Amino acid sequence: MSSVPEDVYLEILLRVPVKSTFTCKCVCKTWLSIISNPNFVNQHVNVTAQRNNNLLMLKGRTDDCVDVLLSVGCDSLVSEINDDDVVVQDCPYKPVRYMDLMGSCNGLVCVWSSGRKLYCIWNPFTREFKELPKSPIKYDEKDVSLHVFGYDCKNDDYKLINVVDHSSLVHVYTLRSNSWRRGKAMPYRFSRQGMPYSFSRQGSGVLVNGAWHWVGSKRDNGDSKLIIPLDIKDVKFQELPLSKEVFKNNDLSMTIGALRERLCAIFDVGVGFEVWMMKEYGVRESWTKCYHISHDKIKNNHCFRLLCSLRNSEILLLSHDTLVSYDPKDGSARQHNINGVKNFHDKVDYFESLVSLGSGKYVGVQDRKEVYWSDAEG
């Protein structure tokens, strides 16, 4: 093995799944050194992301009214799902009903424990987790109108950003410093009216072109309707140019999503939904109507989220609490039944990753007391 150049080792190991790298570390000191290098970890993330073999993590409820956290590969949703395609996650906190999915980035998942009143960052593949310190700035999590967990490539750091609606203040946690700071107030409001909780909590936004996007309005003009991107590097909000044709009826209900790495706007036009795509990012004239989805095709059709495009050209939707694949070629739709689980209220998409949090704490490994909360305490 010593006759093989190190750069060849590197190219091979970059394509090895995360769980297999644990075995590879034991092969020899050279492989251990390569895999443990932070530069290798970053390269492994980039290679894995380019494969576009994402997973969905879904918080759902069984027929016995037990909340569970499941992972399923997006590719397996092209056909009927087998039990082998679904993994029940062993997560940092139990019961699952008091744990909310806040967002994901580079294989790390951010969660909120309403029982412990704290945030946690977790790598589902390495099982490592890190509990975040509580912010010295007092506010209630239910007042957070949006949050984003992401990677700041400028400073090689991970951030959790919360916006408190009533004060418009921005609160920023950085992993490197393991601390919170107060950001600048922003002149926008993010409405949560008229939608179920899991849809109204706009969450980590829609990631397109390196920025997260939300629907909002100017704080001094509640009738305005905007798409507002956030640059996580500088924690700076902006406004995206909108087409007058697309947004001529300001009364229509609108949500946003992403398909094929392009920003989309979804409107309820009464008899169905129109999906418009911004084909060239930042160009007002590039907004194009791509799909019309009839109400009778989608169960619980009063609201849905675009999740992703599948490799068979179908579109994956979360319709209220049901996972649905929609085929734009013939307008057909099919519901996915997963292990008797329904009522999917939270979701994040992620992929396998070697990113370490440096906490030394692992789900199911360390000796710690599990905390269970009664309905009254929830």
Side-chain angles (χ1 to χ4, degrees):
M1 294 176 63
S2 60
S3 62
V4 179
E6 186 172 318
D7 58 344
V8 176
Y9 285 146
L10 178 63
E11 290 301 317
I12 294 172
L13 293 172
L14 284 174
R15 288 155 179 79
V16 172
V18 166
K19 290 184 179 180
S20 298
T21 62
F22 301 145
T23 303
C24 292
K25 283 183 176 182
C26 302
V27 171
C28 63
K29 291 182 178 179
T30 300
W31 284 19
L32 173 62
S33 175
I34 292 173
I35 296 170
S36 303
N37 190 307
N39 290 330
F40 173 85
V41 172
N42 290 336
Q43 291 180 63
H44 192 276
V45 165
N46 293 333
V47 170
T48 305
Q50 290 170 7
R51 290 177 184 168
N52 198 27
N53 189 21
N54 284 3
L55 298 152
L56 278 179
M57 184 178 291
L58 297 159
K59 178 183 173 181
R61 182 166 294 176
T62 67
D63 294 333
D64 299 328
C65 295
V66 176
D67 288 77
V68 293
L69 207 60
L70 304 176
S71 286
V72 58
C74 291
D75 285 347
S76 66
L77 297 169
V78 172
S79 57
E80 292 298 322
I81 300 176
N82 298 316
D83 289 349
D84 294 340
D85 297 325
V86 181
V87 176
V88 179
Q89 289 286 350
D90 186 8
C91 51
Y93 303 115
K94 297 177 181 178
V96 172
R97 69 179 302 180
Y98 300 124
M99 189 182 77
D100 296 322
L101 301 174
M102 297 285 105
S104 64
C105 179
N106 290 350
L108 301 178
V109 177
C110 183
V111 303
W112 163 256
S113 170
S114 60
R116 298 192 177 195
K117 305 296 183 185
L118 55 77
Y119 291 98
C120 170
I121 303 175
W122 165 44
N123 186 326
F125 277 86
T126 66
R127 304 173 67 85
E128 185 181 15
F129 72 96
K130 179 180 178 65
E131 295 178 337
L132 276 55
K134 294 186 178 181
S135 172
I137 309 165
K138 301 300 180 183
Y139 60 90
D140 196 313
E141 201 277 338
K142 71 176 186 296
D143 295 326
V144 177
S145 57
L146 65 84
H147 47 262
V148 59
F149 172 65
Y151 177 65
D152 175 358
C153 59
K154 179 180 178 181
N155 298 295
D156 187 25
D157 204 354
Y158 289 88
K159 293 178 178 177
L160 173 63
I161 301 171
N162 289 341
V163 176
V164 181
D165 188 58
H166 63 79
S167 64
S168 76
L169 290 179
V170 179
H171 305 275
V172 184
Y173 167 84
T174 56
L175 182 61
R176 188 182 295 276
S177 67
N178 193 34
S179 63
W180 292 85
R181 64 177 175 84
R182 187 192 298 260
K184 295 181 180 179
M186 51 88 194
Y188 304 109
R189 184 183 298 276
F190 301 89
S191 175
R192 300 195 271 182
Q193 296 180 352
M195 301 176 74
Y197 175 74
S198 60
F199 287 83
S200 62
R201 182 164 53 82
Q202 295 203 44
S204 57
V206 176
L207 179 59
V208 177
N209 202 49
W212 281 258
H213 300 71
W214 296 266
V215 178
S217 62
K218 291 188 176 180
R219 188 164 287 275
D220 58 0
N221 181 7
D223 292 332
S224 62
K225 186 174 289 184
L226 305 168
I227 294 182
I228 304 167
L230 165 67
D231 183 346
I232 197 171
K233 298 190 296 296
D234 303 312
V235 193
K236 183 178 180 181
F237 290 90
Q238 300 174 340
E239 296 177 19
L240 202 63
L242 307 177
S243 166
K244 292 182 179 179
E245 180 184 2
V246 179
F247 301 94
K248 59 186 176 183
N249 190 341
N250 203 49
D251 295 330
L252 291 179
S253 172
M254 180 180 78
T255 59
I256 58 173
L259 293 174
R260 301 186 295 277
E261 300 183 356
R262 291 184 173 91
L263 186 66
C264 294
I266 304 99
F267 299 91
D268 188 343
V269 294
V271 295
F273 295 93
E274 289 183 355
V275 179
W276 290 70
M277 180 182 291
M278 193 179 212
K279 293 200 170 182
E280 187 174 349
Y281 186 81
V283 178
R284 184 193 303 268
E285 294 75 21
S286 71
W287 283 104
T288 305
K289 184 168 70 174
C290 297
Y291 309 114
H292 178 91
I293 303 176
S294 300
H295 276 172
D296 60 358
K297 298 295 184 182
I298 306 295
K299 182 182 177 182
N300 299 322
N301 57 46
H302 60 284
C303 191
F304 71 80
R305 282 186 281 186
L306 290 177
L307 299 187
C308 62
S309 297
L310 302 178
R311 55 183 171 84
N312 63 349
S313 300
E314 290 184 344
I315 300 170
L316 188 64
L317 315 171
L318 185 59
S319 175
H320 184 55
D321 57 6
T322 306
L323 205 59
V324 176
S325 291
Y326 174 77
D327 189 341
K329 291 179 291 189
D330 58 13
S332 62
R334 53 193 176 90
Q335 180 178 329
H336 293 283
N337 298 308
I338 301 178
N339 277 358
V341 179
K342 53 187 177 181
N343 298 328
F344 296 111
H345 291 297
D346 269 352
K347 76 91 189 175
V348 293
D349 57 300
Y350 71 110
F351 53 81
E352 60 180 39
S353 166
L354 285 165
V355 174
S356 173
L357 300 166
S359 69
K361 294 183 177 181
Y362 298 86
V363 174
V365 175
Q366 72 287 355
D367 182 18
R368 62 186 179 87
K369 184 180 179 180
E370 297 287 2
V371 178
Y372 290 81
W373 305 88
S374 68
D375 290 343
E377 291 173 311

